[in-house]
C-alpha cells in the first residue's frame, strides 16, 4: 500500500525539491517547519497536521487529498488538533491519545547527531563497522586524561557528594578567575564566573535568559549548531553572518554590519572556530568589537578550543579588547584536557556589567534552578588549570594533533575536486566539494551515500547552518593510519560518485 511518505517523495522528485527547499519555502511563508520534521515525514516516521499538509501540497503542486492518501480513513485530512492524534488500537477501536513534541522544537536542528548519525547507528546495530569522523570526542581515539587529573578527582570524590554553590566550587572559580586574568579579561571577580555541565548547558542558559520572541542574535555561518538551536528554542531569531572561506574563514564584517537592526541584541563568535578550525587575529576581533560598540550589542565568545592553537599562533580573547562592553566568554576542559565525558565548562562575565544587571539576574535565576553543575568534575579544575596538564605536547610538530592535521589536509586536498583552508586550531577541517564535478545538490544525501558505500561517517555542511551543499566537516582525531584508510575510501568514492 502506498504511504504518505511514498507520495511525498514522489512529489518532491517530480518538482526537483529537496528537504531543505521545503524548509526554506515554509520560512518564506511564516510557517514553522523544521528539517527534522521533513526528514520524519520522508522516512515515514510521522505524518503532518492539517496546516502543514496543505502547505506541502501547495508547495509540491499536488492535491492534499492525494498526498494524504486518506490516512485518516473517515476524513481526507489529518486532525486539526496536533497535540491529540487518535487511532484504533488492537483492542477493538478504542481511541488512543498520542503525545507530540513541543512546537518550540519545530525549527530546532542539531544534525551533528542527526539523520546521518542515526543511519550509522542502525548500521552498527546490524554489525557493520563505521569509521567515525563526525564528532570531536577525544577518548575513542586514544587520547587519555592526564593522570594527575584522574588522581585528584579520585582523592576528592568523598568530598563531592553534596551540591556545590550554584555558580560552582570556590576552588574551581578561583582557578578560572586567575585564568581569566592571564587572558586579560577586564573587570572579572569570583561572582562573574559560573561553572556548567559543559559549555553546552551554559549556552542554553544564556540564550534562555536573554532572548524574547523575535529578538535577533548574530551567529556565524558555518556555526556550531547548538548556538542556533538554543537561540531558536529560546524564542529568538538566529541571523547568520557569513564567514568567508576566501579570507581564511574570518567573519565578513560588512555582512555582519548589514544584518544588524533594532531587534539585534548580541553577536556570537566561535574562536577558535568549529567547524572550520579558523583562528581569528586581533585585527578582525577589533573590528567586531567596534561594531558591537557602535550598535550597543553583547558579545558572546565561544573559546572552548583556545588551548588547541598551532603554528606558533596565539589566541586572543575578544573580551580583552572590550572593557566598555558586556561580554560573556565560554571555555572548559572537554577538549584541552581530553575529558569530554566529565562535562565541565564555564562562562565568565566581563566588562561593563552595569548595563546588564537585569540580564545577570536572569542568569543567576536559571543557574540556581539547575542547582549546580557536576561537582566531581569541578573538583579538578584547579589542578587542570594550574599545571602542565593539557594538550601542549599534541599541538607542536611531532605531536598527534599537529601531525594528523598535516596529513589529513594534504591527503584530502590531493583528491581531485576537494579543496580546503588549512585549520590553525581545534581538530576539525571543513573541506569544499566541487559540486559541479560531482553534480552534488544535496549534501545530506552525499553524507548518507558515503556512509552506506564506504562506512565513513562525516557531517554535511548544512549541519552547521551552511546553506550551500558544498562542504563537509571531518574530525582529525584518529591516528594517521586510520585517517589514511578513511581518506583513501573517500577518494575511491569520489572517483565514481555522482548525484
Amino acid at each position: 500500500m502506498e504511504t504518505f511518505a511514498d507520495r511525498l517523495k514522489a512529489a518532491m522528485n517530480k518538482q526537483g525539491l529537496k528537504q531543505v527547499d521545503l524548509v526554506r519555502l515554509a520560512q518564506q511563508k511564516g510557517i514553522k517547519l523544521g528539517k527534522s520534521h521533513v526528514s520524519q515525514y520522508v522516512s515515514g516516521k510521522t505524518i503532518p497536521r492539517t496546516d502543514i499538509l496543505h502547505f506541502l501540497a501547495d508547495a509540491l503542486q499536488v492535491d492534499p487529498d492525494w498526498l494524504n492518501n486518506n490516512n485518516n480513513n473517515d476524513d481526507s485530512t489529518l486532525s486539526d488538533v496536533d497535540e491529540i492524534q487518535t487511532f484504533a488500537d488492537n483492542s477493538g477501536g478504542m481511541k488512543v491519545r498520542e503525545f507530540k513534541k513541543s512546537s518550540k522544537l519545530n525549527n530546532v536542528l542539531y544534525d551533528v547527531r542527526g539523520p546521518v548519525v542515526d543511519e550509522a547507528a542502525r548500521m552498527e546495530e546490524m554489525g557493520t563497522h563505521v569509521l567515525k569522523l563526525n564528532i570531536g570526542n577525544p577518548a575513542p581515539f586514544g587520547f587519555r586524561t592526564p593522570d594527575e587529573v584522574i588522581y585528584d578527582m579520585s582523592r576528592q570524590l568523598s568530598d563531592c557528594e553534596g551540591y556545590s554553590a550554584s555558580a560552582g566550587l570556590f576552588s574551581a572559580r578561583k582557578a578560572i578567575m586567575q585564568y581569566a586574568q592571564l587572558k586579560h579579561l577586564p573587570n572579572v571577580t569570583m561572582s562573574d564566573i559560573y561553572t556548567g555541565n559543559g559549555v553546552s548547558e551554559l549556552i542554553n542558559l544564556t540564550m534562555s535568559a536573554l532572548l524574547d520572541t523575535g529578538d535577533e542574535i548574530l551567529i556565524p555561518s558555518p556555526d556550531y549548531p547548538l548556538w542556533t538551536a538554543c537561540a531558536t528554542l529560546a524564542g529568538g531569531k538566529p541571523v547568520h553572518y557569513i564567514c568567508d572561506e576566501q579570507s581564511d574563514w574570518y567573519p565578513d564584517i560588512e555582512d555582519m554590519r548589514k544584518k544588524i537592526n533594532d531587534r539585534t541584541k548580541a553577536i556570537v563568535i566561535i574562536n577558535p572556530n568549529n567547524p572550520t578550525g579558523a583562528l581569528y587575529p586581533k585585527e578582525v576581533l577589533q573590528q567586531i568589537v567596534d561594531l558591537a560598540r557602535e550598535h550597543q550589542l553583547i558579545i558572546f565568545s565561544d573559546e572552548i578550543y583556545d588551548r588547541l592553537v598551532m603554528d606558533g599562533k596565539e589566541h586572543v580573547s575578544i573580551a580583552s579588547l572590550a572593557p566598555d562592553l558586556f561580554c560573556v566568554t565560554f571555555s572548559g576542559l572537554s577538549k584541552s584536557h581530553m575529558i569530554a565525558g566529565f562535562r565541565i565548562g564555564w562562562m565568565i562575565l566581563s566588562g561593563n556589567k552595569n548595563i546588564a544587571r537585569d540580564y545577570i539576574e536572569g542568569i543567576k535565576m536559571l543557574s540556581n534552578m539547575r542547582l549546580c553543575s557536576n561537582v566531581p568534575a569541578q573538583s579538578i579544575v584547579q589542578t587542570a588549570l594550574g599545571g602542565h596538564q593539557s594538550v601542549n605536547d599534541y599541538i607542536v610538530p611531532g605531536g598527534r594533533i599537529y601531525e594528523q592535521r598535516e596529513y589529513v589536509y594534504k591527503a584530502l586536498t590531493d583528491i581531485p575536486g576537494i579543496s580546503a583552508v588549512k585549520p590553525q586550531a581545534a581538530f576539525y577541517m571543513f573541506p569544499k566539494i566541487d559540486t559541479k564535478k560531482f553534480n552534488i545538490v544535496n549534501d545530506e544525501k552525499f553524507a548518507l551515500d558515503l556512509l552506506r558505500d564506504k562506512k565513513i561517517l562525516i557531517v554535511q555542511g548544512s549541519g552547521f547552518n551552511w546553506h550551500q551543499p558544498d562542504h563537509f566537516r571531518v574530525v582529525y582525531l584518529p591516528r594517521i593510519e586510520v585517517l589514511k584508510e578513511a581518506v583513501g575510501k573517500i577518494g575511491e568514492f569520489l572517483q565514481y560518485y555522482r548525484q
Side-chain angles (χ1 to χ4, degrees), residues 463-477:
F464 302 95
N465 290 291
W466 184 254
H467 297 301
Q468 298 294 328
D470 59 355
H471 283 79
F472 61 97
R473 188 189 76 170
V474 295
V475 176
Y476 53 85
L477 284 171

Side-chain angles (χ1 to χ4, degrees), residues 135-177:
I135 193 164
N137 186 15
F141 301 108
F143 288 94
R144 311 286 7 131
T145 304
D147 289 342
E148 188 172 350
V149 170
I150 298 292
Y151 174 78
D152 280 22
M153 178 181 279
S154 67
R155 289 296 302 267
Q156 297 181 82
L157 273 177
S158 60
D159 298 324
C160 297
E161 296 174 352
Y163 297 128
S164 73
S166 61
L169 292 173
F170 176 87
S171 63
R173 289 187 294 138
K174 184 71 171 182
I176 295 164
M177 185 183 76

Side-chain angles (χ1 to χ4, degrees), residues 146-439:
D147 289 342
E148 188 172 350
V149 170
I150 298 292
Y151 174 78
D152 280 22
M153 178 181 279
S154 67
R155 289 296 302 267
Q156 297 181 82
L157 273 177
S158 60
D159 298 324
C160 297
E161 296 174 352
Y163 297 128
S164 73
S166 61
L169 292 173
F170 176 87
S171 63
R173 289 187 294 138
K174 184 71 171 182
I176 295 164
M177 185 183 76
Q178 292 169 337
Y179 183 72
Q181 291 169 348
L182 293 175
K183 300 287 286 188
H184 307 293
L185 271 61
N187 194 23
V188 175
T189 68
M190 290 279 289
S191 62
D192 301 317
I193 294 164
Y194 296 79
T195 62
N197 296 302
V199 167
S200 301
E201 179 192 41
L202 297 171
I203 291 172
N204 194 13
L205 188 153
T206 51
M207 294 297 96
S208 297
L210 177 68
L211 297 173
D212 287 319
T213 301
D215 285 345
E216 296 187 4
I217 180 167
L218 294 183
I219 295 175
S221 174
D223 72 343
Y224 179 58
L226 183 76
W227 278 101
T228 297
C230 289
T232 301
L233 187 60
K237 179 183 177 182
V239 176
H240 292 105
Y241 63 86
I242 297 298
C243 294
D244 184 3
E245 187 170 16
Q246 302 304 312
S247 298
D248 294 330
W249 287 117
Y250 297 159
D252 184 329
I253 303 300
E254 289 310 308
D255 186 61
M256 190 182 287
R257 184 186 305 278
K258 287 189 297 187
K259 290 173 176 174
I260 295 173
N261 60 42
D262 291 342
R263 298 305 302 270
T264 308
K265 279 193 167 180
I267 297 173
V268 173
I269 71 165
I270 304 171
N271 178 40
N273 188 266
N274 174 11
T276 66
L279 178 70
Y280 301 159
K282 185 175 181 180
E283 295 75 21
V284 170
L285 297 175
Q286 186 62 60
Q287 291 180 69
I288 297 172
V289 168
D290 293 342
L291 198 60
R293 181 177 292 125
E294 179 185 347
H295 295 278
Q296 301 185 60
L297 303 176
I298 297 173
I299 295 176
F300 293 103
S301 186
D302 184 344
E303 301 181 1
I304 188 69
Y305 298 98
D306 69 339
R307 294 180 291 287
L308 281 151
V309 174
M310 291 172 275
D311 304 324
K313 304 288 185 179
E314 180 183 359
H315 176 266
V316 176
S317 286
I318 193 169
S320 68
L321 307 177
D324 57 321
L325 303 180
F326 179 64
C327 299
V328 184
T329 303
F330 301 83
S331 193
L333 302 180
S334 291
K335 316 299 183 178
S336 65
H337 290 69
M338 306 300 178
I339 49 176
F342 284 25
R343 309 311 298 133
I344 178 62
W346 57 79
M347 63 180 177
I348 304 168
L349 315 184
S350 68
N352 186 356
K353 289 166 283 186
N354 288 330
I355 62 175
R357 288 177 181 173
D358 195 59
Y359 174 45
I360 293 171
E361 285 303 312
I363 288 175
K364 289 178 181 177
M365 180 184 298
L366 292 180
S367 178
N368 290 337
M369 285 169 60
R370 52 100 210 228
L371 297 180
C372 68
S373 66
N374 183 327
V375 180
Q378 290 183 54
S379 73
I380 52 88
V381 171
Q382 187 175 44
T383 296
L385 291 182
H388 185 72
Q389 309 296 332
S390 72
V391 293
N392 292 349
D393 295 337
Y394 291 133
I395 58 177
V396 294
R400 270 193 64 183
I401 292 176
Y402 180 93
E403 297 299 336
Q404 287 160 195
R405 179 200 62 168
E406 295 293 291
Y407 174 79
V408 79
Y409 171 73
K410 184 178 187 307
L412 275 173
T413 54
D414 281 346
I415 298 173
I418 298 289
S419 60
V421 175
K422 190 174 186 178
Q424 295 182 324
F427 35 65
Y428 309 107
M429 193 163 70
F430 202 55
K432 184 175 184 178
I433 317 167
D434 185 339
T435 53
K436 291 183 179 178
K437 179 179 177 66
F438 305 111
N439 194 36

Side-chain angles (χ1 to χ4, degrees), residues 30-69:
I31 295 171
K32 288 188 175 182
L33 180 67
K35 190 175 177 183
S36 59
H37 292 88
V38 180
S39 179
Q40 289 177 338
Y41 301 154
V42 169
S43 66
K45 293 180 181 178
T46 186
I47 54 178
R49 62 180 188 261
T50 303
D51 59 332
I52 300 298
L53 173 72
H54 282 274
F55 159 73
L56 292 171
D58 182 59
L60 297 170
Q61 300 179 31
V62 297
D63 184 84
D65 289 349
W66 174 84
L67 184 61
N68 185 40
N69 197 23

Side-chain angles (χ1 to χ4, degrees), residues 33-37 101-111 225-226 228-235:
L33 180 67
K35 190 175 177 183
S36 59
H37 292 88
K101 64 178 178 290
S102 166
S103 61
K104 290 182 293 186
L105 293 170
N106 281 354
N107 292 311
V108 175
L109 304 174
Y110 189 73
D111 281 353
L226 183 76
T228 297
C230 289
T232 301
L233 187 60

